[in-house]
Amino acid sequence: MTTVLIADDQPLQRMGFKMLLDGTPGMSMVGEASTGAEAVRMVERIRPDVVLMDVRMPGMDGIEATRRIIGAGSRTRVLILTTFDLDEYVYAGLRAGASGFLLKDARPEELIAGIRAVASGDSVVAPSLTRKLMDAYLEDSASASPTDPSLATLSEREREVLEAIGQGATNTEIAQRFTLTESTVKKHVGRVLAKIGARDRVQAVIFAYDNGVVRPQA
């Protein structure tokens, strides 16, 4: 059973999410919060698998709430929901530790699939959208130089895989690029994430840009 906490300041929005989750086998809504601060407190108490986090809420917003939840070392993962696909707040949320984001007008099956993906440790930002986000909000990284010592622990192949991840490539595309099997790519990706301390591919993309492995496109 995947447990979900809904954090949104709109009662009708929370009700809609609740109805969807209640009607989905294997999903259980275990609480709802109307502010970021309330979400943080409830995560500490309930420890849900996933938080559906709205960005704009009164008082503490969803970005700061995400930062505090992840910063506390919680196993709970955060899936940000937003109205705009290239909203700078969404990128800030990913930087704060969210495992991805979806638009609020996503189809019900997309939302459920996103929750399951995040709960299983994956991310839900599509490769093409990842590229748009990184290119739109990481211009300042163009002059970045490697600073994280974990980068030096990567083998040559692992660094190539990290670069491909940063460019938004899927495992299938990486396998084709380097003439590897997908199972081998999965092993490389797992080792890369472990060495750089990234929870998922989204965090690996941010790491790649921050450390100059990938440059924003013009």
Side-chain angles (χ1 to χ4, degrees):
M1 182 68 68
T2 299
T3 56
V4 182
L5 170 69
I6 299 171
D8 196 300
D9 64 335
Q10 299 295 320
L12 286 179
Q13 192 81 63
R14 297 197 305 270
M15 181 183 296
F17 291 143
K18 182 179 187 303
M19 291 175 64
L20 175 62
L21 293 172
D22 286 347
T24 302
M27 292 278 174
S28 174
M29 193 196 85
V30 293
E32 51 185 292
S34 59
T35 67
E38 186 177 11
V40 172
R41 291 194 298 270
M42 293 186 72
V43 166
E44 292 176 351
R45 186 174 74 254
I46 301 174
R47 301 186 183 281
D49 296 315
V50 178
V51 177
L52 290 182
M53 184 75 76
D54 186 24
V55 175
R56 297 177 178 88
M57 291 183 285
M60 183 189 298
D61 64 15
I63 306 303
E64 181 59 26
T66 297
R67 185 175 294 110
R68 295 194 183 191
I69 289 170
I70 301 303
S74 173
R75 69 173 183 82
T76 298
R77 292 179 174 269
V78 178
L79 175 57
I80 289 179
L81 299 174
T82 185
T83 306
F84 304 102
D85 60 352
L86 286 181
D87 187 334
E88 67 271 21
Y89 292 108
V90 173
Y91 172 68
L94 295 177
R95 253 214 187 286
S99 292
F101 77 90
L102 290 174
L103 299 181
K104 284 191 173 181
D105 62 358
R107 297 191 302 273
E109 61 269 24
E110 292 176 331
L111 179 58
I112 294 300
I115 292 172
R116 285 176 173 151
V118 168
S120 68
D122 204 348
S123 59
V124 295
V125 182
S128 60
L129 196 48
T130 298
R131 284 192 287 267
K132 290 180 181 178
L133 278 168
M134 298 302 105
D135 291 343
Y137 299 112
L138 283 175
E139 289 88 354
D140 290 342
S141 296
S143 60
S145 58
T147 57
D148 194 305
S150 64
L151 188 62
T153 68
L154 300 180
S155 68
E156 181 178 355
R157 175 64 78 195
E158 289 166 351
R159 183 167 176 134
E160 290 174 338
V161 169
L162 174 61
E163 180 179 359
I165 292 173
Q167 293 168 343
T170 64
N171 284 358
T172 299
E173 291 168 339
I174 295 173
Q176 293 172 346
R177 181 182 304 183
F178 300 118
T179 317
L180 301 170
T181 64
E182 285 196 44
S183 61
T184 298
V185 171
K186 289 180 180 179
K187 291 178 182 178
H188 282 311
V189 171
R191 285 196 290 267
V192 168
L193 296 183
K195 286 185 177 182
I196 67 176
R199 291 178 305 279
D200 50 45
R201 295 174 80 99
V202 170
Q203 300 303 309
V205 169
I206 293 174
F207 178 94
Y209 275 83
D210 279 351
N211 289 278
V213 177
V214 178
R215 305 292 188 185
Q217 299 172 4

